[in-house]
Structures are given as C-alpha cells and as structure tokens.
Amino acid sequence: MLVRLLYASRAVEPLTQEVVDQILAVSRKDNPAHGVTGLLCYSGDIFMQVLEGGRDTVSELYNAISRDPRHRDVVLLHYEEITERRFAGWTMGQVNLARVNPSILLKYSERPVLDPYAVAGAVSMALLEELIATASIVSRPC
C-alpha cells in the first residue's frame, strides 16, 4: 500500500547549503532501493518534506527522522493512503524557498515565508502542488 507523508522540522544547527546537499545525497542514494520518492523544501532553519512509498518503509523513515538529533520540533502535517505517487519523478527533489517568488508563499500563508507550523497540512500540500506546477523543483530524476 502506498502512502504520502508530509512533516515539518527545525534544524538544530544553522542550515547551510553543505548540510542540505549532504541530506539530499544520502536520500538520493538510499531512497531508490527502498522505493521512496519525495520532495524537500527548506528556508531558514525550517524543513518541510513529503515522502511517498510503502506504508512500512515511509513510517520507518519518518520515525528515524523524528529521532535524528539534527532535527527538533518534528511535526506530522499530513498523512494519506494514495493510489498513485505525485512525486514519482524525484528520488528527492528540492526547493530552496529563498529562490521562489514570495507571492507563491504569500498565497498560502499570512506572510511570504515558509511556516508549516502556522497552516493546515492541506495548505502545505497545496503549496507543494503549486511548486510542481511552477517548475520550482530542482532535482536529479529517479
């Protein structure tokens, strides 16, 4: 059974491009063997990530992320069983929201910043859909 899980977290240490690149490299290396696809958004110290794959695999991955000492304030924003993947083209796509037009963020929140803690999970999913539609995702395909 396929599922989609969306969570948010805050980085414990200052978020640098090197840290993001390391996270993406590990994800892109490990995810194909586990059948996981998804997208990582980041801005400031906030991560928002969607994971798709088998229920057990995604649950185990989320639990590992929740225990990872590099994260704090890990919050499950959205979880659903799905019939098809929406993020199938990415072993782990990325969006640096500092490079996205602020009007896209403002469309989904009170301020033009990423704050998944202040909006409903469905709103965060809608933001991700918009980022797909506007080709804001950078990645290496699966």
Side-chain angles (χ1 to χ4, degrees), residues 15-142:
L15 193 55
T16 65
Q17 190 59 49
E18 182 180 354
V19 169
V20 172
D21 290 345
Q22 182 182 42
I23 291 167
L24 290 167
V26 170
S27 296
R28 290 172 177 158
K29 177 181 159 278
D30 294 345
N31 287 354
H34 296 101
V36 173
T37 56
L39 176 66
L40 177 67
C41 292
Y42 54 95
S43 181
D45 69 341
I46 295 178
F47 287 111
M48 185 170 71
Q49 185 173 36
V50 62
L51 303 168
E52 294 176 327
R55 179 173 43 204
D56 292 343
T57 302
V58 169
S59 293
E60 289 169 15
L61 182 54
Y62 175 70
N63 287 331
I65 290 166
S66 296
R67 293 187 305 270
D68 187 325
R70 297 173 295 177
H71 296 270
R72 64 182 173 89
D73 303 333
V74 179
V75 175
L76 180 64
L77 301 173
H78 183 79
Y79 181 89
E80 66 180 322
E81 295 174 349
I82 57 175
T83 57
E84 63 183 34
R85 296 173 193 252
R86 183 66 180 105
F87 303 92
W90 300 282
T91 54
M92 190 51 60
Q94 68 171 314
V95 177
N96 179 347
L97 290 172
R99 296 183 179 166
V100 171
N101 186 328
S103 66
I104 293 174
L105 293 169
L106 192 57
K107 182 176 176 180
Y108 296 98
S109 64
E110 294 177 18
R111 299 177 300 129
V113 296
L114 177 65
D115 189 0
Y117 298 97
V119 298
V123 172
S124 293
M125 284 302 303
L127 170 62
L128 295 177
E129 293 288 342
E130 176 109 3
L131 294 171
I132 290 171
T134 58
S136 298
I137 299 170
V138 177
S139 73
R140 292 185 324 199
C142 292

